[in-house]
Amino acid sequence: MPTHSSDLRLNTAGDGDVIDLTERVEAIVADAGVQDGAVSLFVPGSTAAITTMEFERGGIHDLRATLDRLIPREGEYEHNRLNRDTNSHAHIRAAIVGPSETVPVRDGRPRLGIWQQIVLVDFDDRPRERTVVVTVTG
Ligand code: ZN
């Protein structure tokens, strides 16, 4: 099965920055020339995540607000205490949302819902440079 690999490089603002990757992923799938297969995305790093959502202002606000309630920035975190670090909340959020997604490819396009986008979420507490590894198989 042929595999096409491509890296997306992005600068994020950190702190829950949500970046829509959908058009870039569609372009990589088109370049790969795969009609039927799958595209997978993985972000190396323990404070960022890949997921899908409806990418619009309200949805982004609600995702951030919900994670702020569930996993507050301030708290008694062993990671911060043991390592003199400040981003334990970011590690936990990234672990729960997860570092990867796989989307089926049909007719040369990621088979997403109409209101569904592929997003990178950077939870770290500072701006970061990120690489998203995109692999198309088919
Ligand atoms: Zn840390």
Coordinates of all heavy atoms in Angstrom, one line a residue, residues 79 85 87 91, ligand 1:
H79 N 3.5 17.2 38.7 CA 4.4 17.5 37.6 C 5.0 18.8 37.8 O 6.3 19.0 37.6 CB 3.7 17.4 36.2 CG 4.5 17.9 35.1 ND1 5.5 17.1 34.5 CD2 4.5 19.1 34.4 CE1 6.1 17.8 33.5 NE2 5.5 19.0 33.4
D85 N 7.8 23.1 37.0 CA 7.2 23.4 35.8 C 5.9 24.1 36.0 O 5.4 24.3 37.2 CB 7.0 22.1 35.0 CG 7.1 22.4 33.5 OD1 6.9 23.5 33.0 OD2 7.2 21.4 32.7
N87 N 3.1 23.8 33.5 CA 2.2 23.4 32.5 C 1.6 22.0 32.7 O 1.2 21.4 31.7 CB 2.8 23.5 31.1 CG 4.0 22.5 30.9 OD1 4.4 21.8 31.9 ND2 4.5 22.4 29.7
H91 N -0.3 19.2 29.9 CA 0.0 17.8 29.7 C -1.3 16.9 29.8 O -1.5 16.0 29.0 CB 1.0 17.3 30.7 CG 2.4 17.9 30.4 ND1 3.1 17.6 29.3 CD2 3.2 18.6 31.2 CE1 4.3 18.2 29.4 NE2 4.4 18.9 30.6
Ligands
ZN1 ZN 5.7 20.1 31.7

